[in-house]
Amino acid sequence: MKETVAPISLAGSQLGDVRHVCAFFNSDDEEYRVLLPFIKDGFECGDKAVHVINPRQHHNHLQRLAAAGIDTAASQQSGQLELRTNTETYLRDGRFDQDRMLQVFEQLASGNAKGGFLLSRIVCHMEWAAEGRSHVDDLLEYETRLNYLLPRYKDPVICTYDLAKFGGDMVIDIMRTHPMIIIGGILQHNPFFVPPEEFLREVRERRTRRSTCA
């Protein structure tokens, strides 16, 4: 049984036991304004930071952290900051494999992560998913299956989405796979969340209908 954990300040509210969050932003500036206090607080509390970022944003991301007072060189050397590229993490060998990604999250979770950190604060930039629709159903299945996995741990997982890069239908489906949401810069319980067993059934029915009509 998962122990009760202290709430974490995030986006103007408190993150309790439910810690799978989709975060929608209109710009990089808005994203960092909202998330940097949460990220910096994690460093000060001694939590591990796992950031899965666009490879083109690597230098800018480190600059943003440094501007917030985070010693990025020292934290990377100590293992407290782990940077991964989203293409290598999600699209190894050029394809998205949801089963492999669930195993990756098991490895990143607190208690399993290297270094003995009690908590991992995981932030994943998801813009790679806007570059092709071939893996959309798999991504949605993966996001909803995370809701079976993450309650075993106490790690907050923030999946960030750039609203300019995703269509309305995709945004709605992403919302439906996350029990918590940041929109307008504020964290709240997500009224659009659909329980994973129900959403998985819907996505798989969609896939079947498409293959039948093809």
Side-chain angles (χ1 to χ4, degrees), residues 64-82:
R64 299 264 193 173
L65 297 184
I70 297 166
D71 188 335
T72 58
S75 57
Q76 284 182 284
Q77 186 173 8
S78 70
Q80 186 177 16
L81 173 61
E82 180 177 343

Side-chain angles (χ1 to χ4, degrees), residues 66-208:
I70 297 166
D71 188 335
T72 58
S75 57
Q76 284 182 284
Q77 186 173 8
S78 70
Q80 186 177 16
L81 173 61
E82 180 177 343
L83 291 183
R84 294 177 169 230
T85 65
N86 52 17
T87 48
E88 290 178 355
T89 301
Y90 288 101
L91 298 175
R92 186 187 300 172
D93 303 323
R95 68 186 186 91
F96 178 74
D97 183 331
Q98 55 177 301
D99 293 322
R100 181 183 62 79
M101 277 306 306
L102 291 170
Q103 293 175 355
V104 168
F105 264 88
E106 287 269 27
Q107 294 163 5
L108 296 178
S110 55
N112 298 334
K114 295 178 180 178
F117 296 94
L118 296 179
L119 188 72
S120 296
R121 299 191 184 202
I122 303 171
V123 179
C124 301
H125 291 77
M126 304 298 292
E127 58 265 35
W128 62 269
E131 297 176 2
R133 293 196 59 83
S134 61
H135 42 248
V136 166
D137 285 343
D138 281 339
L139 170 64
L140 292 172
E141 283 195 27
Y142 158 75
E143 285 279 33
T144 203
R145 287 173 68 192
L146 273 178
N147 295 308
Y148 292 122
L149 170 66
L150 295 180
R152 303 176 199 167
Y153 305 99
K154 54 187 177 179
D155 309 297
V157 177
I158 319 298
C159 306
T160 73
Y161 288 87
D162 183 341
L163 284 168
K165 296 180 179 178
F166 292 89
D169 290 346
M170 182 65 174
V171 168
I172 290 171
D173 274 341
I174 292 164
M175 286 184 181
R176 297 172 74 212
T177 63
H178 293 75
M180 302 297 294
I181 185 171
I182 297 173
I183 196 161
I186 300 297
L187 173 72
Q188 55 191 298
H189 286 277
N190 183 6
F192 300 102
F193 176 64
V194 175
E197 60 277 7
E198 181 179 339
F199 191 84
L200 284 171
R201 183 169 59 249
E202 179 182 331
V203 170
R204 289 165 182 170
E205 286 173 355
R206 283 188 217 169
R207 182 183 283 127
T208 300

